[in-house]
Amino acid sequence: MIMSALPIITLPDPLLRKVSKPVETVDAELLKLADDMLETMYDAPGIGLAAVQVGVPKRLIVLDVSEDDDTPRPMTLINPEVLKIDGERTRMHEEGCLSIPDFRLEIERPASIVVGYLDREGKPQELPAEGLLATALQHEIDHLNGKLIIDFLSRLKRDIVVRKFKKMAREASA
Ligand code: NI
């Protein structure tokens, strides 16, 4: 299988704010996109990527939260949704985003969730998730709803970050 890394769109690309459409058919083309997304994610490197970040607003995410010395554990989730938030426990994590380079933010999210999704065969699955996996899943599912980590900032601070990225984009295209 030939995989190729794809360009990742970054802030302030308006596509990042689009709500992604559900996948209707799990076919070879979609699985090829998932494989290219995994390649893109490993290449970056990152631990998660949503299809919209490579310019395809479909509800598809890939992740690998294995530690560096582990065997890779690539995951493909199609039409993922949080089915259940388990209990009141939360988890803090300093999150980054491949679409917001060189920006990190401490975010508090539910620590234990259950995610429903279709697997690569198009079969419905349920995944209980804790720890980093729970955090990463919520981050990627947010992307499918047009939500970014900067949305956890106050309006004022968010505007400052967005302005900085707009300025960089202008300079890059000048
Ligand atoms: Ni992200």
Side-chain angles (χ1 to χ4, degrees):
M1 165 112 39
I2 298 163
M3 300 203 283
S4 42
L6 306 164
I8 297 173
I9 62 169
T10 54
L11 207 66
D13 192 315
L15 195 55
L16 289 169
R17 290 309 194 175
K18 203 173 153 80
V19 175
S20 293
K21 292 234 161 63
V23 170
E24 282 173 11
T25 332
V26 180
D27 54 14
E29 193 188 346
L30 188 86
L31 297 179
K32 167 80 167 91
L33 173 62
D35 289 336
D36 287 346
M37 284 167 58
L38 281 164
E39 177 82 0
T40 307
M41 180 189 82
Y42 287 125
D43 204 53
I47 60 167
L49 191 69
V52 67
Q53 293 180 273
V54 293
V56 183
K58 287 185 183 173
R59 303 189 81 85
L60 165 67
I61 62 174
V62 297
L63 302 109
D64 187 338
V65 296
S66 60
E67 301 292 333
D68 289 344
D69 49 356
D70 283 347
T71 4
R73 207 159 60 89
M75 303 173 76
T76 300
L77 286 83
I78 300 155
N79 296 343
E81 56 176 324
V82 177
L83 297 179
K84 197 170 140 199
I85 294 173
D86 248 342
E88 312 267 289
R89 257 184 329 119
T90 59
R91 177 177 190 271
M92 293 287 283
H93 186 76
E94 197 186 57
E95 298 182 29
C97 180
L98 294 175
S99 292
I100 313 175
D102 302 318
F103 175 80
R104 301 193 73 81
L105 182 65
E106 189 90 7
I107 294 174
E108 183 175 15
R109 300 184 189 262
S112 181
I113 59 170
V114 179
V115 171
Y117 67 100
L118 299 178
D119 66 16
R120 296 176 63 105
E121 274 86 54
K123 292 203 193 94
Q125 303 285 353
E126 281 188 19
L127 175 66
E130 299 257 343
L132 182 59
L133 180 60
T135 297
L137 281 166
Q138 290 170 82
H139 176 121
E140 299 313 327
I141 292 171
D142 276 354
H143 272 298
L144 304 183
N145 297 319
K147 185 171 178 181
L148 300 170
I149 53 175
I150 53 169
D151 298 341
F152 289 84
L153 292 168
S154 68
R155 177 86 191 249
L156 182 74
K157 286 182 178 167
R158 181 166 69 239
D159 286 349
I160 291 169
V161 176
V162 172
R163 269 205 302 275
K164 192 183 114 188
F165 276 87
K166 280 185 177 161
K167 184 165 179 277
M168 286 193 304
R170 271 198 311 272
E171 284 167 2
S173 66

